[in-house]
Amino acid sequence: MQTLLRNPNVRVQTATAEALSRIASPDSIPALQTALLDSQAAIPVRRAALTALNNIGTDESIQIILEAVEKDEPILGLHACRELGGKDREKALPWLSKRLKEIEGQYREWRRIRDSERPDFSEEQGKQWAEQLKAAEPQRFLAFPIAQAIARIDPNGKGFALLSHDLADVRAGAWTGLSQTSDLNLLKKLHAERQASRESLFRHAAYRAIDLVLIRLSGGLDLQDRTDLEAFYGQVKDEEGVGERVEWTLNQL
């Protein structure tokens, strides 16, 4: 199959890369690396190669992804953010964290320009201000998937901390990523920290994470986890919101 990645037909290349994303072993890494790094290859081929390397999941394949993204981020960046979240992807955390810091800086600059507008601007000054504001527009579309990936990789550390972030898209990405762990211990931590906090943004984000975790848990639990969730319900059943939410999940189960 690896030779088909060099087929001149784009559909054949794409189908091959997509097939390898499901069955590839580390033996396919060199061929997939060549496809990923080929800037002349069709975007669907490169994205499928990235997915295949991510699914292989070795340190080598993840490093290849990160190096490729650094060189060609406008094409591969968003797809990489969506793919790299999950267990055993700690190698991607420094790049994801760096990109999030860059986006935070973009927002600060955009806000600085936005707040520099004055009522006494001439028509020309107003036009220049609008052009500067548009040029400084932050990469909003990356905030959610980056935060989601970070939360999936490190739910109890960096991911949890993002629930207090000042950007709404980052908080939403964090609570979505945390929910994908479907972890009862994380559920308990979210509830305890929410109870202890008076920060409205964090409390809202933590509840959204709790809600999504419980939705996932309602799909099925083994006997031990079901017993643990029932014990947790005994602690929160009198609490408005969380208690009712846990009761709903138990009823679904």
Side-chain angles (χ1 to χ4, degrees):
M1 287 189 68
Q2 296 174 21
T3 59
L4 293 176
L5 286 172
R6 299 191 296 273
N7 190 291
N9 188 307
V10 171
R11 291 185 178 181
V12 172
Q13 290 179 7
T14 304
T16 302
E18 289 176 349
L20 286 171
S21 73
R22 295 187 290 273
I23 65 172
S25 70
D27 292 339
S28 299
I29 289 177
L32 290 166
Q33 180 181 18
T34 298
L36 179 64
L37 296 177
D38 183 1
S39 60
Q40 302 304 311
I43 293 174
V45 175
R46 301 183 72 195
R47 287 177 176 171
L50 189 154
T51 299
L53 288 164
N54 180 61
N55 289 345
I56 291 171
T58 64
D59 283 350
E60 180 187 4
S61 66
I62 300 304
Q63 185 62 38
I64 289 169
I65 291 173
L66 296 175
E67 290 174 1
V69 171
E70 286 284 357
K71 294 177 182 177
D72 206 354
E73 188 169 330
I75 299 296
L76 301 173
L78 180 58
H79 191 61
C81 292
R82 290 172 173 165
E83 290 287 333
L84 288 170
K87 293 181 179 179
D88 304 320
R89 295 295 182 270
E90 289 81 3
K91 198 175 187 68
L93 268 178
W95 177 76
L96 290 164
S97 298
K98 182 187 77 170
R99 287 298 291 117
L100 185 57
K101 288 289 185 185
E102 290 170 357
I103 291 170
E104 291 168 353
Q106 292 171 7
Y107 269 93
R108 284 193 295 272
E109 178 63 10
W110 180 82
R111 288 168 176 164
R112 184 192 67 78
I113 296 172
R114 178 198 63 186
D115 296 341
S116 68
E117 183 184 22
R118 298 200 312 270
D120 61 347
F121 271 173
S122 66
E123 182 177 348
E124 181 61 28
Q125 288 174 322
K127 182 179 178 181
Q128 291 177 353
W129 170 83
E131 290 174 350
Q132 290 175 354
L133 188 66
K134 183 177 180 179
E137 182 74 23
Q139 293 176 302
R140 303 173 189 271
F141 63 92
L142 282 176
F144 181 99
I146 288 176
Q148 182 181 16
I150 291 173
R152 290 177 62 198
I153 295 170
D154 185 20
N156 288 294
K158 293 179 181 295
F160 199 95
L162 292 180
L163 293 176
S164 299
H165 203 277
D166 65 341
L167 295 178
D169 286 339
V170 172
R171 294 195 303 276
W175 75 56
T176 302
L178 290 177
S179 74
Q180 292 170 328
T181 66
S182 299
D183 186 321
L184 277 172
N185 290 326
L186 178 61
L187 175 69
K188 295 172 185 177
K189 178 179 178 179
L190 285 163
H191 174 256
E193 295 291 334
R194 182 174 180 269
Q195 288 289 91
S197 176
R198 299 272 67 87
E199 296 179 13
S200 58
L201 292 179
F202 172 79
R203 286 177 57 81
H204 171 258
Y207 184 82
R208 290 300 303 271
I210 289 169
D211 179 44
L212 291 178
V213 169
L214 287 168
I215 287 174
R216 289 182 176 275
L217 294 179
S218 68
L221 287 175
D222 61 29
L223 181 59
Q224 183 58 57
D225 284 344
R226 171 77 179 263
T227 301
D228 288 347
L229 186 60
E230 288 173 343
F232 179 63
Y233 175 61
Q235 302 169 20
V236 302
K237 63 181 180 180
D238 295 329
E239 296 179 17
E240 184 178 357
V242 173
E244 296 168 342
R245 192 60 197 76
V246 176
E247 182 182 18
W248 178 88
T249 297
L250 288 171
N251 288 337
Q252 292 293 99
L253 291 167

